[in-house]
């Protein structure tokens, strides 16, 4: 998977791997290959055997944002991979230092307007949902900020806590250790309405930001194109069953995730729709990665 170890997608994937291993009676290994905007992990699985033994955990950014963000992409989401299963939708929050100078969304917007290019935000990689979401936030607030991506997401949160980074869109699970330590905190949710796992956190709009602002993010499984359909359907059925498991549902709440089981065909349709939508967002914001 293209995420670093210790962050929410990795922790969640290991939970799913343990559950699948118990059901399949064989070991399921999660291998982290972060870096290069996910290209390292993606190319490794693209060239893997088409037998269902190697799967790729992807975010929607890898499949639906990167095609518009990069002029040269070393893979084709449509022709190199086959959708297998949707795992979860992930919610993003505005995260700041607990004792920093920017404690509200209007604080950030005002500071960015007063000193264009001084406010720094981060993400786990160029083209991630948090990166594109922040670019959209800049566009909607008519501000100019600086993006500094971090290969290691845990270091990004330390950067926020230390004041090297002013803010970031983050998931609760990835930020949780430093939230519990009282060093960083969330001040708004990038969704159209509040969520059950964080009912006291206002939406970006409620917190004084752009109306209707949201970051649409999901995590799913794909396999190399040519993987037999019967293998894809078996994995899809087993994963969808886990997405209804009470233990899994309870534990993913800690990450601010929401289970979102789908058929392979439904996931393929979502990828097509999100690709068109994100291409428009990239065009409008002017976000580029190369």
């Amino acid at each position: 998977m293209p995420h670093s170890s210790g962050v929410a997608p990795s922790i969640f994937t290991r939970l799913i791997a343990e559950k699948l291993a118990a059901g399949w009676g064989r070991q399921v290994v999660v291998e982290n290959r972060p870096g290069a905007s996910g290209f390292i992990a993606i190319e490794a699985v693209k060239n893997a055997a088409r037998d269902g033994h190697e799967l790729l955990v992807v975010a929607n950014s890898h499949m639906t944002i990167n095609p518009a963000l990069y002029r040269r992409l070393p893979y084709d989401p449509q022709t190199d991979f086959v959708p297998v299963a949707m795992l979860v939708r992930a919610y993003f929050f505005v995260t700041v230092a607990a004792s920093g100078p920017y404690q509200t969304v209007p604080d950030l917007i005002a500071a960015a307007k007063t000193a264009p290019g001084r406010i720094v935000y981060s993400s786990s990689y160029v083209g991630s949902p948090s990166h594109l979401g922040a670019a959209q936030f800049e566009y909607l607030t008519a501000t100019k900020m600086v993006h500094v991506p971090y290969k290691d997401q845990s270091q990004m949160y330390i950067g926020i806590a230390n004041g090297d980074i002013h803010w970031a869109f983050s998931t609760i699970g990835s930020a949780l250790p430093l939230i519990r330590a009282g060093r960083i905190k969330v001040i708004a949710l990038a969704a159209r309405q509040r969520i059950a796992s964080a009912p006291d956190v206002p939406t970006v709009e409620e917190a004084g930001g752009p109306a209707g602002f949201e970051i649409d993010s999901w995590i799913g499984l794909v396999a190399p194109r040519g993987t037999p359909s019967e293998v894809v359907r078996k994995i899809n059925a087993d994963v969808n069953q886990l997405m209804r498991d009470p233990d899994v549902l309870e534990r993913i709440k800690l990450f601010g995730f929401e289970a979102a089981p789908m058929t392979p065909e439904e996931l393929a349709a979502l990828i097509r729709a999100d690709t068109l939508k994100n291409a428009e967002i990239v065009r409008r914001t002017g976000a580029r990665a190369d």
Side-chain angles (χ1 to χ4, degrees), residues 263-280:
T263 66
E265 291 78 12
E266 288 170 334
L267 180 54
L270 178 64
I271 290 172
R272 289 192 296 270
D274 277 5
T275 298
L276 293 174
K277 179 182 70 177
N278 288 322
E280 174 57 23

Side-chain angles (χ1 to χ4, degrees), residues 69-142:
L69 205 64
Y70 287 87
R71 292 183 178 89
R72 289 187 175 183
L73 199 62
Y75 63 94
D76 187 320
Q78 302 289 338
T79 61
D80 289 335
F81 297 98
V82 57
V84 175
M86 171 71 101
L87 297 175
V88 295
R89 291 192 177 276
Y91 290 99
F92 281 83
F93 299 78
V94 179
T95 307
V96 298
S99 58
Y102 310 113
Q103 295 294 299
T104 69
V105 171
D107 284 346
L108 286 171
I109 296 172
K113 286 182 177 292
T114 300
R118 187 176 70 85
I119 298 299
V120 178
Y121 68 89
S122 186
S123 72
S124 52
Y125 55 89
V126 172
S128 63
S130 53
H131 172 214
L132 194 63
Q136 175 80 335
F137 184 81
E138 286 183 90
Y139 173 82
L140 294 173
T141 57

Side-chain angles (χ1 to χ4, degrees), residues 15 22 36 40 47 67 93 95 103 108 127 135 149 164 170 175 200 204 208 231 242 281:
L15 166 63
I40 297 172
N47 298 316
F93 299 78
T95 307
Q103 295 294 299
L108 286 171
D164 302 321
S170 72
D200 296 331
V204 168
V231 174
L242 285 183
I281 293 175

